[in-house]
Amino acid sequence: MSQDTKLTDPQVAEIRKDFDFFDRDLNGQIDLHEFIELLTVLSPKTKAGNVQEGFSLIDGNGDGFIDFEEFLDWWKDGWWEY
């Protein structure tokens, strides 16, 4: 994922609010179930078969969770716009 996009502190804070909103159990990570809820809001036309693939692409370290840095990279890349 690209690290080239520079964000201001207020932009990062706004993205952090979005991350925290979907981190329902407040453990600092978004799991697959929370990710499904996120996609339901951001991209309701996402096909069920693409959910796991998308999750795996964002989960850069493969630990089964999306942490804030992974979420931020995904946000900067604009993948959520598709």
Side-chain angles (χ1 to χ4, degrees):
M1 292 182 194
S2 172
Q3 297 292 330
D4 298 325
T5 304
K6 300 292 183 206
L7 297 172
T8 65
D9 288 343
Q11 287 172 315
V12 171
E14 200 59 38
I15 295 167
R16 181 60 164 194
K17 279 192 223 176
D18 292 334
F19 178 85
D20 290 344
F21 177 80
F22 290 106
D23 177 18
R24 298 295 191 190
D25 58 7
L26 304 174
N27 68 349
Q29 302 171 315
I30 293 176
D31 64 26
L32 182 58
H33 297 289
E34 293 164 331
F35 183 68
I36 291 168
E37 186 175 343
L38 180 150
L39 285 182
T40 301
V41 172
L42 295 181
S43 184
K45 294 182 182 181
T46 301
K47 294 183 173 107
N50 295 342
V51 172
Q52 183 64 49
E53 180 182 353
F55 185 86
S56 296
L57 286 172
I58 299 167
D59 177 20
N61 64 7
D63 66 355
F65 298 96
I66 297 171
D67 62 31
F68 181 67
E69 289 303 316
E70 292 166 334
F71 185 81
L72 189 60
D73 287 344
W74 174 64
W75 198 267
K76 286 192 287 190
D77 283 348
W79 292 16
W80 53 271
E81 295 176 332
Y82 299 111

